[in-house]
Amino acid sequence: MPITHGGTSIGAHSKHPERALMAYELIRQDEEVYKLINFGLEGVQYEIKDGKRVRPAAYDEAKDAFYTDFWGGRVDKFDVPSDADWSGIGDVYKKYDAIKKPFPYGKFVFDKTKVDVEMTSISQVIGEQLPAIIFGKTSDPEKAVLEFREKLKSAGYDKVMAEIQSQLDNYKKLVEG
């Protein structure tokens, strides 16, 4: 996992950053609040039976549906597996744990300072060109992809890739010592 995986931040222009941090910490440290944010109201959106989250008998999708995606704030000790989770996933994790290798770039954080202008240009090209390609809204997809690639190159794609590679190479030298 990258060091920034699951990272949560408070906006630089937040009027009350200390209050935002207090709210975030409450969600992560208080089991009742954590379950409310992640699972909804117990008895309405979920019940716990045999250590698993299940839908209550009176659950009505039309009025009781609830969904959040708080993966960045996940706290394993408060998490309750769902009855919809595949029961064999634990065996898969064990097999994976036996063969996995450490990811050497987990603590690498790209410094975009030298290519900030190019990254902004690339983002603009992507925003303008990619939706039409992805959603099949071009009359000539092959031509659209070629034009997209050319515009990325013109925006500085190669310079950005070279900078990323340079930083990765330097990071690798540091890690391998």
Side-chain angles (χ1 to χ4, degrees):
M1 289 292 187
I3 197 169
T4 55
H5 178 77
T8 301
S9 63
I10 296 169
H13 302 290
S14 173
K15 284 186 177 182
H16 304 286
E18 70 286 347
R19 303 297 292 169
L21 183 59
M22 289 170 68
Y24 181 73
E25 280 301 304
L26 181 65
I27 294 167
R28 290 187 41 94
Q29 303 301 325
D30 184 290
E31 184 174 8
E32 183 179 354
V33 175
Y34 179 86
K35 287 180 176 177
L36 178 64
I37 294 293
N38 285 281
F39 311 137
L41 292 170
E42 188 167 5
V44 177
Q45 276 88 20
Y46 77 100
E47 293 176 346
I48 298 177
K49 290 187 179 170
D50 301 322
K52 299 212 179 213
R53 275 183 297 118
V54 299
R55 295 281 186 221
Y59 180 82
D60 178 356
E61 182 75 26
K63 66 178 180 127
D64 298 328
F66 178 81
Y67 175 78
T68 63
D69 192 3
F70 190 59
W71 62 267
R74 181 185 168 122
V75 178
D76 288 341
K77 69 181 179 182
F78 297 152
D79 207 47
V80 180
S82 167
D83 66 334
D85 295 342
W86 179 48
S87 63
I89 194 65
D91 294 332
V92 172
Y93 290 155
K94 285 178 190 171
K95 287 179 183 178
Y96 172 73
D97 286 343
I99 61 169
K100 71 181 179 184
K101 296 178 182 175
F103 181 61
Y105 302 107
K107 293 182 181 177
F108 172 76
V109 178
F110 177 61
D111 177 4
K112 66 180 186 130
T113 307
K114 293 181 182 177
V115 291
D116 197 36
V117 171
E118 290 79 9
M119 290 189 66
T120 299
S121 295
I122 289 168
S123 291
Q124 289 172 339
V125 170
I126 290 170
E128 292 168 2
Q129 304 288 307
L130 199 55
I133 294 169
I134 289 174
F135 295 112
K137 298 292 185 182
T138 63
S139 58
D140 186 345
E142 288 184 36
K143 181 181 176 188
V145 169
L146 289 173
E147 287 175 4
F148 176 61
R149 288 179 177 165
E150 285 304 314
K151 286 186 178 187
L152 286 175
K153 279 187 160 301
S154 296
Y157 180 85
D158 292 334
K159 182 178 178 184
V160 171
M161 290 305 295
E163 181 60 27
I164 293 169
Q165 189 62 58
S166 172
Q167 289 184 32
L168 278 170
D169 291 346
N170 289 333
Y171 178 80
K172 188 174 178 182
K173 287 177 192 170
L174 288 172
V175 171
E176 292 176 352

